[in-house]
Amino acid sequence: MSDANDAPAEVEDPHEGGFRAHTAITTTRGGPRYAEFSEQVRALMDNARYACPEEGLTDELIDELAAINAKLAAVRIDEWHSPAGTRIDLPSRGNITLPPYTVDSYSEEGVHATLTFRDFHLGGNNAAHGGHIAVAFDDLAGFASAVAIQGVSRTAYLTVQYRSITPLNKPLQCRTWADKIDGRKVFIKGALHDGDRLCAEMDGLFIKLNPGQP
């Protein structure tokens, strides 16, 4: 019989400059219920986006949220050890600042992901906000760049063309891929589809970081 002491120690993921030296791979940071915690936070964001509480309930919610924030503030750590952004078993690696997506496949040919914009991402009339679409493209384009160059990069520019309405609460297909590599420059393209309908396209330039570059 094994116990917690038999679990392998997590290998420290070094970082230089602005990013980690490589993608952190973890499914344990934050504990076994961190996925539930992340989902509850996303649900809070969704509900708060549409909520219109009465004055008495607003007072009650402020007190409860203040207590929750105090608990979270007491366990804050640095970005390099936070579960958010490193839990590869969770949508968007557990990063709640991103619209939730799951990666279906990735290779030198590109990254394929299933993406869902939730109530929190409302732009208007049940459509996703264009800024949230750009955020999703930026993250998945960075992923495609990392796969293509086997290294980390920063966004130099990102342009999004909005072709049709992007719906909320519906699984969408997103693909990003390296169109051209010129030295440290990685030119990325992307497309977001609702079935056969094209919702948005993107093109961007990512610059591979030199060692230690912020």
Side-chain angles (χ1 to χ4, degrees), residues 63-119:
D63 291 341
E64 291 177 355
L65 288 170
I68 290 172
N69 278 321
K71 290 180 180 180
L72 291 173
V75 294
R76 283 187 58 154
I77 57 177
D78 64 81
E79 67 174 283
W80 310 109
H81 298 89
S82 172
T86 65
R87 282 290 298 262
I88 62 168
D89 56 321
L90 303 183
S92 302
R93 305 181 307 282
N95 187 345
I96 60 168
T97 65
L98 297 172
Y101 68 77
T102 56
V103 175
D104 302 314
S105 66
Y106 66 91
S107 68
E108 293 182 354
E109 300 300 315
V111 176
H112 295 258
T114 299
L115 170 68
T116 303
F117 294 97
R118 296 174 53 144
D119 290 342

